[in-house]
Amino acid sequence: MAELDVRLWRGDGAGRFERYRVPRRANQTVLDVVTWVQRHLAPDLAYRFACRVGMCGSCAMTVNGRPRWTCRSHVSKVVKDDRLEIGPLRNLPVIRDLAVDMSGFFDKWQDARGRFAGTADRHQRPAPIDATSPARRQADAAIECINCAVCYAACETVAWRPGYLGPAALNRAWTLAQDERDGDGAARRAALGADDGVFTCHSHGACSEHCPVGLDPAGSIADLKRWALFGG
């Protein structure tokens, strides 16, 4: 039976890659490989997954240097010379092995004021929304982010400036800036204009290139820069 030469990250941030031999199978995903190692060779291997069908994003890892959802990454498409190197997501603290601490990633959503602040109470009728307007269509697309942190791991600006809010938090802020029902615009504009805010982005575009669901955080950030400067 053909085999894969697999290198998996073990330990915390100061850990190392260890080599495993894994059977090569048809239609095998990278998550299948990690699971095989955990079940047959290293029962203490730490990693995350849930849905296995590309809905939750929890299985994201770095595969041959690129952040990916491992459940949707087939070995045949990402393997290099029958070799796989699988590590934790970049730009996030490693808890152990392939599991990273996501708390800082979600804290930045709060720092970007990525929460809806309504202007009406429960006794008022909901504000009408034109679902066909260009702004609403843009926001509807950006809302599809599922917080997998692949864009965050791909972001070179986060790599050299860890305090930067990052593409996921800013993409969320963009959706709220386009929502006429939201009443937190002034505070959000101030937060985004601060150090490590939206103007820290260098427009490399890696976030949009790597997004597993085809979103365009780089485009959201470009529009958000104009909004933060001029309003809208």
Side-chain angles (χ1 to χ4, degrees):
M1 181 182 293
E3 289 187 329
L4 293 167
D5 180 10
V6 181
R7 299 177 72 238
L8 290 178
W9 185 263
R10 301 305 309 271
D12 58 16
R16 68 225 174 267
F17 283 102
E18 293 187 3
R19 180 170 276 110
Y20 301 90
R21 301 296 295 182
V22 178
R24 181 82 180 263
R25 293 171 177 161
N27 300 318
Q28 188 177 30
T29 67
V30 176
L31 182 58
D32 291 334
V33 170
V34 175
T35 300
W36 194 93
V37 171
Q38 190 273 333
R39 290 180 178 176
H40 298 277
L41 301 176
D44 60 339
L45 177 65
Y47 66 107
R48 291 193 182 105
F49 73 95
C51 73
R52 301 182 69 95
V53 293
M55 295 292 292
C56 71
S58 61
C59 69
M61 303 172 199
T62 302
V63 182
N64 285 348
R66 183 184 178 99
R68 298 177 179 273
W69 291 352
T70 54
C71 73
R72 294 280 294 271
S73 297
H74 284 82
V75 169
S76 60
K77 295 182 179 180
V78 299
V79 70
K80 296 179 179 178
D81 299 323
D82 288 326
R83 296 181 181 180
L84 281 176
E85 183 178 275
I86 307 170
L89 286 179
R90 193 176 65 143
N91 297 336
L92 292 161
V94 180
I95 298 173
R96 184 163 63 88
D97 303 337
L98 304 173
V100 295
D101 184 352
M102 300 279 287
S103 58
F105 170 77
F106 289 113
D107 286 344
K108 290 181 178 181
W109 281 54
Q110 295 299 317
D111 295 339
R113 302 190 74 85
R115 56 190 181 276
F116 178 79
T119 57
D121 60 36
R122 68 181 64 186
H123 303 294
Q124 296 173 291
R125 293 179 62 84
I129 298 294
D130 180 4
T132 65
S133 70
R136 187 66 252 169
R137 287 182 179 276
Q138 281 185 301
D140 285 345
I143 284 171
E144 295 301 315
C145 172
I146 64 170
N147 316 328
C148 66
V150 164
C151 64
Y152 191 86
C155 180
E156 294 296 336
T157 304
V158 174
W160 67 263
R161 187 163 178 169
Y164 170 52
L165 293 174
L170 294 175
N171 179 75
R172 170 61 177 167
W174 161 245
T175 67
L176 294 170
Q178 298 305 299
D179 195 328
E180 56 264 44
R181 301 167 300 171
D182 181 81
D184 201 29
R188 186 172 298 111
R189 189 174 290 114
L192 297 175
D195 287 347
D196 295 325
V198 67
F199 299 107
T200 303
C201 173
H202 284 204
S203 304
H204 293 153
C207 52
S208 297
E209 177 187 348
H210 290 78
C211 178
V213 293
L215 302 186
D216 183 20
S220 297
I221 293 170
D223 286 340
L224 196 59
K225 288 178 179 179
R226 288 189 286 269
W227 179 86
L229 279 174
F230 306 115

